Amino acid sequence: MRRLAVFPLFVVLMAPSCLPSTPDQSAWRAAAIRSVEDVASSVATVEWGIEHDDDLFGRYLRSLVVHAEESADSSQQKLSSLQPPGAAEAIYDSATGTLSDATSVVADARIAVVEGDDAAYPGLAHRLDQIGDRLDALEQQLRAMPTGDHD
Amino acid sequence: MRNRFDSPYDAVLHLLDRQVLDSDGLMVCKVDDLELVRVGSSWWISALLSGTAALLPRLGGRAGERAMRFWKRMAPEQTDRDVPYRVEITEVADLTSAVNLSRPRQQALVRERRADSRQLRNLLECRVRTEAGEDLGHVLDVRIDHDGHRLVGLVVGRGRPDSLLGYDRHPQQGPAALRLIVRMLHRHSGYATWDQISELDWDRGQLTLTGRLQPLQAAS
Amino acid sequence: MGRFLNVALGVLTAVGGFVDIGDLVTNAQVGARFGMSLAWATVLGVIGICLFAEMSGRIAAVSGRATFDLVRERLGPTMGLLNLLGSLGVSLLTYVAEIGGVALSVQLICGVSYLLLFPIFGVFVWLVLWRAKFSLIENVFGILGLALMVFVVSAFQLGPDWSHLGHEAITFAKPVQENWSTWCYYAVALFGAAMTPFEVFFFSSGGVEDGWSDKDLPVMRSNVALGFPLGGMLSLSIAACAATVLMPLGVSVDSLDQVGIPVAAALGRVGLAIALLGFVAATFGAACETGLSVGYAVGQYFGWQWGKYVRAAVAARFHIVIALSTLVALGVLATTIDPVTVTEMSVVFSAVALPLTYFPILVVANDPDYMAEHVNGRLMNVLSSLFLVLVVVAAVAAIPLMIWTHLGA
């Protein structure tokens, strides 16, 4: 008899983890800011690396860029998997859009570094600088968002 | 370092859980327990005990008993699974920061149960009360006379044997804050001589004292 | 002259051996995010470890007994066992982090993924612990670890605004966008990184390995008084470099390669090469120390012969414990967990485990039976008691802070 009761209990307990996690406004804002900061850090790392490739060894720069890309990808995915609360839906699209643009620039940089394509570095540095500025603006926007305590 | 066996000492504080070294300075074992035998009306330490069979029960109460049962169940075909290893007390040369044996460690530990012997932990688990029935706590430590290792007194109080940390015995041992805390926790602890024991029931872990507890003092 | 060389060697080894993967990562992370506002935590940690290393070294020299031996003797078998389990857990976690750190450092040099390297270096660490002489382990990696002095040179070369850094340090100037809870969490992490428990096991057991006696007390004290603070200065310079280069860029440190960026910025490829040598030496040396500490702790609890001052066959169980713990560490690394994450956890859990180690040391350092006339003086007791309180506060706050701040996110 006890075993029969366990099954529905199990379903009830497991159900919430099958749905995407739905944080409230302030939690989503905090998670979004963290993600943006992490991706911005990766972008800045890669930008510094390709601008200073003369101060680094080839293998070192490769490691640097590959790790930065992994970190950016995981931060971006973490945010995309969070269900935005109603009020944040507007900014959700622009946030995930900017983050995914950033990760694609970083990926392009990684490809160039691994192939040793030095000629592409200046162009990539410029693109990284630009996406860095967009990420900064996004972070300001997120910080200016109301924390939604009075929802 | 001075030889602690030059004067009376306390079994738990000075002997139990100490490292045992052989005559070459190599490590042998820890003193996991002590074997006590009765000669006449007195009890004497006859051997140091070591090994899993001696250590597990000392882990205390229920946990110790279950650990011991588990240990025996792991090899039911062995007859002496619960017999600890022993080293005769006569093979101990002196006691400095470790117990120093007078022989090399090769085959120093022998697994042998001596009939009619008891272990110190049985004594340490004893509840102590006065003849009037007042509960005084547990046996926290046992004072040993260095000449022959005869049990001559008991330190009685509440709490566990190790909670004294030696602070009760040295009046000025620092740091001051810790000393005060331990003294406060053990303000009801005291000392009783062996003759004050009117009844000692090993199996039930009960010990009855006559007279009053004296204040604690360092062994020497 | 021989005396002087002895002291010099001891000091240099202490400096070079002070920094491990926990110090590298934590100081760089803190410098990049908080500037020098948490310098006080490193300073406190260094003072703390000086106090407790001196006490445990003195106990080892005067009584010939190492730390874990006394933990069981003073606290009893039950508390001693709980203590052993706790200390083992933290030491194993640190062992995983250090071996991972070696692999990550070598990856930065040769480009091969650390996942392929860690088994090789794990086995290498075990072989060194099995076969190499203790003095070799102690001295070689300590001296090579001095390569990390390149961070001190870089800090000066970068020409930061020293008064600004100093001001940050003294006024605890937390950056505006960070929370106080995260700030406190990193304070505890820095404290745990500086006062690693295994360091004290290693220092005191090493004293017994080297056969210290009363006569070695002055040398031991100079090692501690000069070596550890200079090592602490290394830690602070890692933070200062990160604060000067990484903070303005908005780079937060989550991999070992970012730690080297300031050195490359200041000194170019030459500096970077020296830093990489330093990373490998520091992490390999720390891996050896941690592996030995696991063996010391288990051996000293059960009374087994331990140590490298006897032939391996004479201390068979000690070496088996080390081999098994290396296997466990490699098993954990094989789950592809990020060694930097393991490092972050190990420093926090180190902070939690600190009271377990330090309390018995403080008690025994005062016991005239063990120490004869070398018991703690008044001043030593006052300072150590204060630090015991600090250590307990850090230990209690560590896990709640870790959970609350999501490992310092």
Side-chain angles (χ1 to χ4, degrees):
Chain A
M1 208 38 211
R2 252 205 254 152
R3 290 189 190 181
L4 284 180
V6 166
F7 183 68
L9 186 66
F10 181 74
V11 170
V12 165
L13 288 172
M14 290 307 288
S17 61
C18 302
L19 301 165
S21 130
T22 315
D24 67 5
Q25 174 115 338
S26 67
W28 187 88
R29 175 178 169 271
I33 292 175
R34 266 202 303 275
S35 289
V36 172
E37 280 177 340
D38 287 347
V39 175
S41 162
S42 297
V43 166
T45 305
V46 175
E47 190 186 341
W48 185 90
I50 63 177
E51 281 173 351
H52 293 87
D53 65 316
D54 290 335
D55 291 325
L56 300 172
F57 301 108
R59 296 184 187 119
Y60 193 96
L61 177 58
R62 266 202 295 279
S63 268
L64 194 66
V65 174
V66 167
H67 286 146
E69 189 194 2
E70 279 167 7
S71 163
D73 279 345
S74 94
S75 301
Q76 186 237 337
Q77 272 166 24
K78 231 185 281 182
L79 187 62
S80 311
S81 70
L82 286 181
Q83 182 76 1
E89 269 178 30
I91 201 171
Y92 172 82
D93 284 336
S94 87
T96 46
T98 311
L99 288 184
S100 109
D101 289 343
T103 51
S104 82
V105 179
V106 170
D108 288 343
R110 185 256 306 159
I111 292 169
V113 167
V114 170
E115 287 180 350
D117 184 8
D118 315 27
Y121 288 179
L124 281 164
H126 179 67
R127 284 173 64 198
L128 286 163
D129 190 42
Q130 283 187 318
I131 196 79
D133 291 337
R134 276 178 63 194
L135 286 167
D136 281 342
L138 176 59
E139 190 183 335
Q140 296 308 321
Q141 236 188 323
L142 286 168
R143 285 192 187 276
M145 237 175 87
T147 53
D149 287 331
H150 301 289
D151 264 11
Chain B
M1 284 197 78
R2 76 174 253 234
N3 179 8
R4 216 58 191 68
F5 282 169
D6 283 342
S7 44
Y9 61 91
D10 291 327
V12 176
L13 183 62
H14 294 123
L15 204 48
L16 219 50
D17 296 309
R18 288 268 168 137
Q19 181 72 50
V20 177
L21 303 177
D22 75 352
S23 50
D24 303 314
L26 293 176
M27 295 168 198
V28 182
C29 61
K30 288 263 181 169
V31 179
D32 293 321
D33 209 339
L34 294 172
E35 186 187 79
L36 308 173
V37 289
R38 184 183 188 143
V39 179
S41 59
S42 312
W43 284 84
W44 307 68
I45 298 179
S46 52
L48 308 175
L49 297 176
S50 188
T52 319
L55 177 60
L56 285 181
R58 282 198 58 222
L59 293 178
R62 280 279 191 61
E65 287 169 27
R66 284 170 113 166
M68 207 44 205
R69 272 203 303 273
F70 180 75
W71 176 248
K72 294 211 301 218
R73 265 213 310 272
M74 283 202 339
E77 67 281 2
Q78 294 175 3
T79 50
D80 53 358
R81 199 100 167 123
D82 56 350
V83 178
Y85 288 101
R86 68 194 290 280
V87 181
E88 286 284 341
I89 194 82
T90 47
E91 302 203 295
V92 176
D94 58 23
L95 173 63
T96 53
S97 64
V99 177
N100 301 300
L101 299 181
S102 52
R103 53 162 296 160
R105 66 180 196 163
Q106 258 64 25
Q107 271 121 52
L109 297 177
V110 179
R111 206 171 212 165
E112 183 186 13
R113 197 201 297 280
R114 184 154 156 186
D116 299 332
S117 65
R118 294 287 180 178
Q119 292 176 350
L120 185 69
R121 68 173 168 86
N122 300 130
L123 196 52
L124 293 176
E125 289 160 5
C126 278
R127 294 209 69 84
V128 182
R129 59 193 182 115
T130 61
E131 294 202 307
E134 185 195 339
D135 176 37
L136 293 173
H138 285 97
V139 175
L140 298 179
D141 209 337
V142 181
R143 187 140 302 164
I144 315 283
D145 180 58
H146 60 292
D147 189 16
H149 307 289
R150 181 170 59 94
L151 279 62
V152 295
L154 300 170
V155 173
V156 178
R158 301 182 200 289
R160 304 183 55 256
D162 309 299
S163 58
L164 280 167
L165 297 171
Y167 278 103
D168 53 312
R169 268 57 82 76
H170 285 285
Q172 289 312 313
Q173 184 166 325
L178 271 178
R179 187 176 70 235
L180 286 170
I181 293 174
V182 175
R183 284 265 173 87
M184 202 196 65
L185 289 173
H186 284 277
R187 57 192 181 282
H188 299 299
S189 302
Y191 179 76
T193 58
W194 197 261
D195 331 307
Q196 280 177 258
I197 299 178
S198 60
E199 188 199 332
L200 174 51
D201 186 342
W202 290 93
D203 299 309
R204 278 187 25 240
Q206 283 264 52
L207 195 147
T208 317
L209 291 178
T210 58
R212 306 202 58 79
L213 287 180
Q214 295 144 43
L216 289 172
Q217 267 173 8
S220 52
Chain C
M1 193 59 200
R3 209 52 187 314
F4 175 73
L5 279 178
N6 234 348
V7 175
L9 185 65
V11 172
L12 290 173
T13 330
V15 179
F18 186 83
V19 171
D20 69 341
I21 187 79
D23 296 298
L24 280 171
V25 168
T26 317
N27 279 289
Q29 282 179 331
V30 168
R33 277 178 75 171
F34 297 93
M36 294 305 278
S37 62
L38 282 167
W40 60 271
T42 303
V43 170
L44 268 184
V46 169
I47 298 175
I49 196 160
C50 286
L51 287 174
F52 284 97
E54 195 278 330
M55 282 195 287
S56 68
R58 186 168 16 110
I59 294 173
V62 173
S63 72
R65 306 259 64 76
T67 306
F68 224 90
D69 195 333
L70 300 168
V71 165
R72 172 170 164 187
E73 194 265 323
R74 209 30 66 120
L75 298 182
T78 319
M79 283 311 293
L81 185 64
L82 291 174
N83 196 322
L84 176 68
L85 292 173
S87 303
L88 268 185
V90 175
S91 295
L92 271 172
L93 201 60
T94 313
Y95 198 28
V96 172
E98 304 292 353
I99 298 180
V102 177
L104 284 177
S105 310
V106 176
Q107 174 181 341
L108 293 177
I109 296 176
C110 71
V112 177
S113 164
Y114 86 95
L115 287 170
L116 294 172
L117 293 173
F118 80 79
I120 303 172
F121 285 96
V123 170
F124 194 31
V125 168
W126 167 61
L127 281 173
V128 166
L129 293 180
W130 183 22
R131 285 305 191 184
K133 289 174 66 157
F134 186 77
S135 53
L136 190 106
I137 299 174
E138 219 183 2
N139 295 329
V140 168
F141 298 106
I143 299 291
L144 287 176
L146 284 172
L148 289 175
M149 292 297 273
V150 75
F151 276 95
V152 181
V153 177
S154 301
F156 282 99
Q157 182 71 9
L158 289 166
D161 180 359
W162 290 107
S163 61
H164 174 68
L165 287 180
H167 186 253
E168 259 187 350
I170 295 175
T171 57
F172 309 159
K174 173 190 75 68
V176 173
Q177 71 270 26
E178 300 278 7
N179 298 330
W180 281 108
S181 56
T182 323
W183 191 81
C184 287
Y185 167 79
Y186 277 104
V188 171
L190 277 176
F191 197 60
M195 279 183 93
T196 28
F198 81 78
E199 181 64 49
V200 173
F201 292 153
F202 181 76
F203 193 68
S204 72
S205 306
V208 175
E209 296 259 26
D210 287 333
W212 285 351
S213 70
D214 296 39
K215 296 192 268 319
D216 297 295
L217 283 176
V219 175
M220 184 273 291
R221 283 181 172 139
S222 60
N223 283 1
V224 171
L226 288 175
F228 288 10
L230 286 176
M233 203 183 70
L234 258 179
S235 291
L236 286 174
S237 61
I238 295 174
C241 284
T244 310
V245 175
L246 299 178
M247 198 169 183
L249 291 174
V251 172
S252 57
V253 173
D254 52 20
S255 67
L256 188 61
D257 32 55
Q258 287 163 317
V259 178
I261 288 179
V263 177
L267 303 171
R269 286 185 176 174
V270 173
L272 188 62
I274 299 175
L276 287 172
L277 172 66
F279 286 175
V280 175
T283 47
F284 197 93
C288 290
E289 286 185 20
T290 329
L292 283 173
S293 302
V294 173
Y296 291 147
V298 176
Q300 287 165 19
Y301 177 84
F302 288 106
W304 301 340
Q305 177 65 51
W306 51 266
K308 292 197 58 57
Y309 65 99
V310 292
R311 283 180 306 115
V314 176
R317 282 170 290 192
F318 169 72
H319 285 281
I320 289 177
V321 167
I322 294 181
L324 284 174
S325 54
T326 310
L327 220 62
V328 167
L330 293 179
V332 174
L333 282 169
T335 62
T336 71
I337 187 170
D338 182 7
V340 173
T341 312
V342 178
T343 306
E344 292 171 11
M345 292 199 303
S346 76
V347 298
V348 176
F349 282 104
S350 290
V352 178
L354 286 175
L356 298 178
T357 326
Y358 288 158
F359 177 67
I361 292 178
L362 180 55
V363 173
V364 175
N366 276 288
D367 189 338
D369 272 355
Y370 270 90
M371 305 301 289
E373 70 270 19
H374 295 288
V375 285
N376 275 4
R378 244 303 170 50
L379 179 64
M380 191 58 160
N381 268 336
V382 168
L383 285 174
S384 317
S385 307
L386 276 172
F387 263 88
L388 190 65
V389 172
L390 259 176
V391 151
V392 170
V393 167
V396 167
I399 296 195
L401 277 173
M402 182 176 88
I403 296 175
W404 193 1
T405 63
H406 305 288
L407 212 67

